[in-house]
Amino acid sequence: MSHMYNLAIIGAGPSGIATAVESYLLGVRDIIILEKDQNHNSTIRKYYKDNKRVDKDWKGQKVELEGKIYFVDGTKESTLDFFDEILNNHSVELRTHTEVQNIKKRDGYFEIFIAGESINAKYVVVTIGRMGKPNKPDYKIPQGVKDKVAFTLDNCGIGEKILVVGGGDSAIEYAIDLSAKNEVAICYRRETFRRANPTNQRDIANAIMHKEVEPILGVDINSLEDENGRVKVIFSEREADIYDRVIYAIGGTTPSAFLASSGIKEEDGKPSHDENYETNIEGLFVAGDITQESGGSIALGLNHGYAIAKHIQEKKL
Ligand SMILES: Cc1cc2nc3c(=O)[nH]c(=O)nc-3n(C[C@H](O)[C@H](O)[C@H](O)COP(=O)(O)OP(=O)(O)OC[C@H]3O[C@@H](n4cnc5c(N)ncnc54)[C@H](O)[C@@H]3O)c2cc1C
């Protein structure tokens, strides 16, 4: 049989890296992290705008860090540097360009399937997040404007008329950032931005007061149309308007197909697990955003990693 890792972690986001490093610090050796992208932390690289402020208490959720990893407020860049550093300083193998298809429990170990081969491990932690599939609207995006409708800020230009859809922290940060160089409106189905953290609530209130961002609140979108290559947005209780670009920032979805193909049960749209984040399959854990209905935070993921590391170490690996 090929090499048996003590611990394999699927996904090199904050929760995966924390699980690996906290386990290492507790004495576990022979740990591998499998990451489908070309580098760790693809959610941060893809969805965070450059120079984004990174809040430890994201979405206003105050989190006391329980493990040994000391994480503080910073920026996108300082956060990526921080994860680079903790990976470099601990002997954890990171294998990139490695998308895991599913996991099967064998007799006392796990077989992890990737294209054309498999890897064996005694314990497995799934930390693949929810942003692999960002939430999409339930109406159709017309073919002719597909390249004008996006879920990240990639390809945004200057001097465009842009509609940001969503009312959480990400939508607010996108709208404020874009408003420096574009004409921006933000459309949210609720009347207020109460879900956002206090800093973002204050920033969006200021931007609206100074007419830098147009608020379209308490309004749903019924459909999109192709208006000669621009996006015509049909609102529920307001006249339609035409935009150069529409950006959705409405969170991500549970990777149900992955969970089902690995035999992990779901309950209320999340993988079911006990207080140690162990799933219905003994030795197979879930951590981070994947365990949260509407997304978690970096600090929450770090704590999940620590809890799992402690539990695995107590099992005397
Ligand atoms: C725009 C935006 C702004 C945010 N701002 C903040 C903030 O300021 N502060 C904060 O604390 N939180 C913030 N968050 C939330 C934070 O990014 C997440 O809570 C955190 O990234 C979750 O970590 P995770 O490790 O659970 O998942 P992720 O970070 O999503 O990592 C999952 C990793 O798994 C990999 N993966 C997926 N499928 C597979 C597979 N099949 N095989 C192998 N690898 C796979 C992915 O490529 C990815 O690298 C923000 C989120 C967004 C979208």
Side-chain angles (χ1 to χ4, degrees), residues 10-16 34-37 39-44 47-48 52-56 58 71 98-101 127-131 170 173-174 258 287-290 295-299 301:
I10 321 298
S15 322
L34 305 169
E35 166 58 48
K36 74 170 176 187
D37 223 322
N39 211 335
H40 62 83
N41 276 303
S42 76
T43 296
I44 294 180
Y47 290 95
Y48 289 21
K52 169 184 154 47
R53 190 190 71 244
V54 174
D55 303 320
K56 179 185 143 276
W58 176 239
F71 171 69
T98 306
E99 178 163 8
V100 173
Q101 287 154 357
T127 63
I128 59 178
R130 297 168 60 88
M131 294 308 289
S170 319
E173 290 181 5
Y174 281 180
F258 182 96
D289 269 19
I290 197 179
S297 71
I298 295 171

Side-chain angles (χ1 to χ4, degrees), residues 26-292:
L26 287 170
V28 179
R29 295 293 178 267
D30 222 359
I31 302 170
I32 187 165
I33 312 181
L34 305 169
E35 166 58 48
K36 74 170 176 187
D37 223 322
Q38 58 195 348
N39 211 335
H40 62 83
N41 276 303
S42 76
T43 296
I44 294 180
R45 287 176 207 279
K46 260 193 221 156
Y47 290 95
Y48 289 21
K49 62 193 177 65
D50 291 346
N51 299 314
K52 169 184 154 47
R53 190 190 71 244
V54 174
D55 303 320
K56 179 185 143 276
D57 294 332
W58 176 239
K59 292 182 178 164
Q61 307 174 82
K62 210 158 178 42
V63 182
E64 293 302 327
L65 291 171
E66 290 158 5
K68 292 213 169 56
I69 298 176
Y70 182 67
F71 171 69
V72 291
D73 292 344
T75 61
K76 170 182 178 174
E77 292 72 17
S78 71
T79 304
L80 289 172
D81 287 348
F82 168 76
F83 283 110
D84 266 339
E85 196 182 316
I86 60 171
L87 272 171
N88 287 339
N89 288 342
H90 301 90
S91 273
V92 166
E93 185 179 342
L94 170 64
R95 188 162 150 184
T96 55
H97 299 103
T98 306
E99 178 163 8
V100 173
Q101 287 154 357
N102 58 25
I103 303 151
K104 292 277 175 260
K105 185 150 193 178
R106 302 293 185 212
D107 199 10
Y109 71 98
F110 291 93
E111 190 171 5
I112 300 160
F113 291 91
I114 52 187
E117 62 167 316
S118 67
I119 286 177
N120 300 325
K122 290 186 192 158
Y123 291 93
V124 178
V125 186
V126 178
T127 63
I128 59 178
R130 297 168 60 88
M131 294 308 289
K133 272 200 192 148
N135 276 326
K136 302 212 161 126
D138 42 23
Y139 40 85
K140 247 184 100 183
I141 300 170
Q143 194 60 35
V145 292
K146 277 226 155 94
D147 60 336
K148 300 287 160 47
V149 176
F151 303 87
T152 69
L153 298 191
D154 293 353
N155 306 323
C156 283
I158 292 178
E160 290 186 322
K161 183 172 168 185
I162 302 179
L163 180 68
V164 175
V165 183
D169 288 298
S170 319
I172 292 173
E173 290 181 5
Y174 281 180
I176 290 173
D177 184 63
L178 289 167
S179 71
K181 292 183 181 148
N182 299 279
E183 182 188 336
V184 175
I186 184 165
C187 175
Y188 185 34
R189 61 192 156 83
R190 295 178 205 252
E191 296 285 352
T192 65
F193 293 105
R194 238 175 320 184
R195 271 180 51 220
N197 69 30
T199 312
N200 282 331
Q201 288 194 35
R202 190 198 57 218
D203 290 353
I204 190 72
N206 270 333
I208 290 170
M209 193 171 69
H210 292 110
K211 301 201 180 322
E212 289 156 8
V213 173
E214 181 198 358
I216 303 179
L217 298 178
V219 171
D220 276 318
I221 295 174
N222 288 342
S223 60
L224 302 184
E225 289 175 11
D226 177 355
E227 183 82 10
N228 303 319
R230 296 180 81 211
V231 192
K232 183 169 182 184
V233 179
I234 316 296
F235 295 104
S236 58
E237 283 144 12
R238 179 191 165 99
E239 233 177 82
D241 206 344
I242 296 168
Y243 297 88
D244 297 309
R245 197 175 292 279
V246 177
I247 294 171
Y248 290 87
I250 50 178
T253 52
T254 304
S256 296
F258 182 96
L259 297 174
S261 67
S262 301
I264 300 172
K265 286 194 183 138
E266 253 190 61
E267 224 176 87
D268 302 328
K270 294 174 294 178
S272 53
H273 58 80
D274 66 11
E275 68 282 8
N276 298 310
Y277 303 96
E278 195 161 12
T279 66
N280 54 299
I281 302 167
E282 200 189 343
L284 179 53
F285 297 76
V286 282
D289 269 19
I290 197 179
T291 65
Q292 309 287 309

